[in-house]
Structures are given as C-alpha cells and as structure tokens.
Amino acid sequence: MEHRARPAGRPAVGAPLRGDDDARDRLGGCARDRPRGGPVTAPGAGPPQARGLVPDAPPQAGGGGVLVHRAVPYGWPRELAQTAVPYLEAGCGAGDAVVVIASEPVRVTLREGLGAQARAGIEFIDSADWFGGPMRALAGYHDRMRADWWPRGRLRLLAEPVWDGLTPLETREWQRHESLLNVVFAGTPTMIMCAYDAVALPPPVLDAMARTHPELAGPDGPRPSPEYTDPAEFYAECNAGPLPPPPASAAHRTFGAGGLPSLRAFLAAEAARLGLPEGRTLPFVLAVNEVATMIIRAGGGRGSALLWARSGELVCELADPGRMLTDRFLGYTPPPPGPPPSAG
C-alpha cells in the first residue's frame, strides 16, 4: 500500500490492483510529502550519543529503556552466526524476550550454533511472512512488543529484512523503515540487530544500511556507524523525488465532518470498478478513512480525494486545503494515549 502527499500537504494511499504481482505485494506503506510553499522542517532524533544508544544498555526502571539499533553485514550465514549467536545467547541468559525474524537458511544456521536451552527460549519467525510491507511490519512490531515481548522484559531482536524482488520505490520505503525504527522505538527496552548479506545485496542497500543504523556489529563487537544519518534528514531525502500529477480521469470526491460514510462507499465502489481484488478493498478503504479522519479532526476540517489506477496500482490522493502537513513522522510514531474524538 502506498502513502504519498502532494502540494496540498496530505498523504495519498494506494493498493496493488493485481494479486499476482509479488513485487508490489511486498510494498506495505510509504510516506511522501511536498510543501505547498517554503520548507517544512521535522524534528530529528539526534545522534546516537545524544539518545543514549550505548552497547547492551539495560532497560530503565519503570518500563522505559534505551533503544539499541545495529546492523551486522555478513558474507555467509556462518559468519553471521559468529556475531548473532553470542548476541542471542546473552539475551537468553539475561531473561530478555529473544526473537529471530530471518530466512530459513539463516534460521537453520543459528539453531545449529545455539545451545539447546537457548534454542528452546527463542521465538523464530520466517522473514518472508513478517516483512510483507513496511507498515505491516511496523504494525506487527507494535502489536507483539506490547502484547508479548516487552511484558517479559527487554526485547532482543535479530531481523533479516527482505530485499529481493523490490522495485526502486519499494527499496526506498524499506530503507525509510529502517531509519524510522530509530524514532519509533526510541526510549524503549529494545535491542535490534539487522542482518545484511554483504555479498548478495546491491551497494545502494548496503550504503543505506550504514546510514540508517547508529551502530554496526561484528565478531569483535559493536562500533558506531560513521555514516549514520539523522532520521529526519534521511526521511526528507526519501521525499526528494517529484511525484507525477494525477490524471484528468481521476475520480474526485470532497468530504467533511459527517461525510466519512459516503466517502467509504465512494472508495469501495471505485476500487471495485478499477479492479482491486475484493480481499484488498476493506484494508484500502480503512487506510484512506484513517487519513481522512485526521484531516477532519486535526487539519482544516474538510478535504478532497482523488482516485485512479496506474501501472497495476490503485492510488488515492487525499488533500487538506486548510492545513499544511509538518509532522514528518505522522503515522509512524504511536498516537497519544486516550480515545480519539469522533470525526463522523
């Protein structure tokens, strides 16, 4: 699903029209923003030292913690195991919730290197199932961390993102995802080690690895990444490319307070007309509804939607003429506690 924004300053969302397009199926979400006039600034997460990203820092009392986010480049799975096995076994010994999200070859190699007690205490997840899209993966992290992992203590995660078969847009959105983890989970009792196959992956992916992870890890231990880039700056770079304008044939609908039911009906009808598979219509409609709700509740109180098909995708652009989007991390960081007011 694609989330974008144009000069009006609000995101647009889209979904693949074809169920058999594996590359597009992988795209779970992205965010693109372009100001209407003048620059838009976003809060930065700060350098690793300013945010307390120190190796193996224990969680703070009272449910807080220190995020540790590392990348480990490796040449073959057994080389990865030299770094990952001690990392995972240390987590088991410390009573952490230890999770591995990786491909089958990596999971098999790690199981062979781990002791029996550690193997029994680690949750193994197939990376192909987990990394279906950036927003889907992020939602999965939020759900499992709050429900299962953090209640047991600190989370110690080894993750192997899936980079095969991605379009340039999809690759960029996964790179954005890696950078945003530094913002989304800052201050939480979380350790994340991301595995990167330095032989198979293309140079642009490896270059971004060094820019999106505050630390790099290897058999000799962690070290700061000299190329690490503030997430706000990296996010802005992801938005630098121009967006094509919507076609003249795009279906159009305005909405305001009390108008969300008719907007949802419009979206469902247009999605069916343009060939979106029935099983994807409800998630698409709900995604657009969430953005429209924010426009009504926190924006100018009214907006407009444009809907069209392009290159096997269904794209919906939402515009808020009354307010300019300034929060670059909107939709990624958790909302404030408490029930949101109704938008209709």
Side-chain angles (χ1 to χ4, degrees):
M1 186 171 291
E2 181 180 346
H3 300 251
R4 308 187 314 171
R6 296 180 182 276
R10 286 290 169 181
V13 296
L17 293 175
R18 297 192 302 274
D20 59 351
D21 191 333
D22 292 338
R24 297 192 187 278
D25 285 349
R26 295 179 187 273
L27 182 57
C30 68
R32 294 288 306 273
D33 309 288
R34 190 193 305 169
R36 288 185 298 178
V40 176
T41 59
Q49 296 80 3
R51 290 180 286 118
L53 294 178
V54 295
D56 300 323
Q60 298 173 357
V66 176
L67 172 68
V68 177
H69 189 202
R70 300 169 181 158
V72 51
Y74 68 93
W76 60 92
R78 293 194 179 279
E79 181 181 353
L80 171 63
Q82 294 176 5
T83 301
V85 167
Y87 165 79
L88 297 172
E89 290 186 333
C92 293
D96 298 343
V98 184
V99 181
V100 172
I101 306 175
S103 62
E104 182 177 5
V106 168
R107 298 198 311 271
V108 169
T109 301
L110 293 179
R111 282 194 177 100
E112 292 174 349
L114 291 164
Q117 185 174 0
R119 284 197 303 270
I122 296 174
E123 179 179 358
F124 289 89
I125 300 173
D126 189 344
S127 56
D129 295 334
W130 186 271
F131 293 111
M135 293 304 293
R136 189 184 308 171
L138 191 59
Y141 282 138
H142 277 296
D143 291 344
R144 293 297 309 277
M145 286 173 173
R146 285 170 169 76
D148 303 328
W149 297 336
W150 284 336
R152 293 153 53 192
R154 178 173 56 182
L155 168 64
R156 188 176 293 237
L157 172 67
L158 174 70
E160 182 192 21
V162 177
W163 300 98
D164 295 337
L166 301 181
T167 67
L169 173 62
E170 293 165 346
T171 299
R172 183 181 64 214
E173 295 314 316
W174 276 113
Q175 291 168 342
R176 187 202 302 266
H177 168 87
E178 290 287 271
S179 178
L180 284 170
L181 293 179
N182 298 295
V183 176
V184 173
F185 299 119
T188 67
T190 306
M191 298 183 68
I192 306 175
M193 180 180 287
C194 300
Y196 281 74
D197 188 333
V199 175
L201 293 175
V205 172
L206 296 175
D207 291 343
M209 172 200 72
R211 300 186 63 208
T212 56
H213 293 78
E215 299 178 12
L216 303 177
D220 296 332
R223 63 190 186 280
S225 173
E227 303 300 324
Y228 177 68
T229 303
D230 184 279
E233 179 182 343
F234 191 87
Y235 191 109
E237 291 179 16
C238 292
N239 297 341
L243 295 172
S249 60
H252 179 259
R253 175 62 60 93
T254 60
F255 58 89
L260 290 180
S262 61
L263 175 63
R264 291 191 292 267
F266 161 77
L267 294 169
E270 286 298 311
R273 183 180 69 85
L274 294 171
L276 185 68
E278 184 177 354
R280 298 185 181 184
T281 298
L282 180 58
F284 173 74
V285 171
L286 291 178
V288 177
N289 184 78
E290 288 296 310
V291 180
T293 299
M294 289 300 299
I295 290 176
I296 296 172
R297 188 174 69 222
R302 59 186 178 86
S304 63
L306 288 168
L307 195 67
W308 71 94
R310 184 203 65 187
S311 302
E313 290 181 331
L314 179 65
V315 181
C316 181
E317 177 177 290
L318 297 174
D320 176 4
R323 185 171 177 178
M324 185 174 175
L325 181 65
T326 57
D327 184 355
R328 280 296 183 265
F329 303 132
L330 183 66
Y332 294 99
T333 54
S342 174

